[in-house]
Amino acid sequence: MKAVLLPLLSASMLLIGCVEDITADDSSAFQYLQRGDTALADDKRIQIISSQSSYDDIYYRVLNLNATPQTIDFNQYQVLLVMAGSAQKALELNVVGFTGLDNQVQIRLQTSYNASGCNANSANSQPWLLVLFPKVDKPLVISELAEIRAC
């Protein structure tokens, strides 16, 4: 099964944080808090969460989770929310990496889709993920790659 990666510019954004530095290609800079396959919101969303109240609201209202959300020290950390949405049937979402540069931190995401002509998954798949990472004092640049999987 060969995959083709296509850069998508539509998901690029700049955001500001404020505490720690992330080194070049720092695979230990992030950790998945949770991930799933369905969410209540149909829109594609890439969002930085920087307060416990915002995190709790997204946890219950947007992701429709019933468990008690984790308590996060938002003085030291931020949370990245990524939702594929329902416009295209995404198979999977992943963080490819965090890279610290002199003037910014790049966060690379990958969304996997079936190639055209493949049988669509009958389940309503809207993958999402919550990723914990340290606050930084540089702008965050978030980019997304699309992986097209052969049938």
Side-chain angles (χ1 to χ4, degrees), residues 72-145:
I72 296 168
D73 181 355
F74 282 99
N75 292 318
Q76 293 186 20
Y77 297 99
Q78 300 176 95
V79 175
L80 171 67
L81 166 67
V82 182
M83 296 170 50
S86 63
Q88 295 180 334
K89 295 292 185 200
L91 301 172
E92 186 176 17
L93 288 172
N94 286 298
V95 173
V96 178
F98 275 63
T99 303
L101 304 172
D102 289 341
N103 59 350
Q104 66 188 14
V105 173
Q106 295 177 342
I107 302 172
R108 293 178 316 283
L109 307 173
Q110 181 173 312
T111 307
S112 300
Y113 301 94
N114 273 333
S116 160
C118 293
N119 288 334
N121 185 349
S122 60
N124 184 15
S125 180
Q126 294 179 20
W128 58 268
L129 51 89
L130 292 168
V131 179
L132 181 74
F133 66 99
K135 274 195 170 183
V136 293
D137 62 357
K138 300 175 186 177
L140 302 174
V141 177
I142 302 172
S143 60
E144 180 181 21
L145 298 172

Side-chain angles (χ1 to χ4, degrees), residues 10-48:
S10 63
S12 294
M13 57 181 55
L14 292 175
L15 300 163
I16 304 290
C18 67
V19 173
E20 187 177 310
D21 196 10
I22 294 176
T23 61
D25 294 323
D26 195 346
S27 61
S28 66
F30 68 93
Q31 122 186 21
Y32 291 104
L33 291 176
Q34 284 192 283
R35 51 192 327 157
D37 291 325
T38 58
L40 291 180
D42 287 337
D43 296 331
K44 180 175 184 163
R45 183 184 285 194
I46 299 174
Q47 178 179 346
I48 300 297

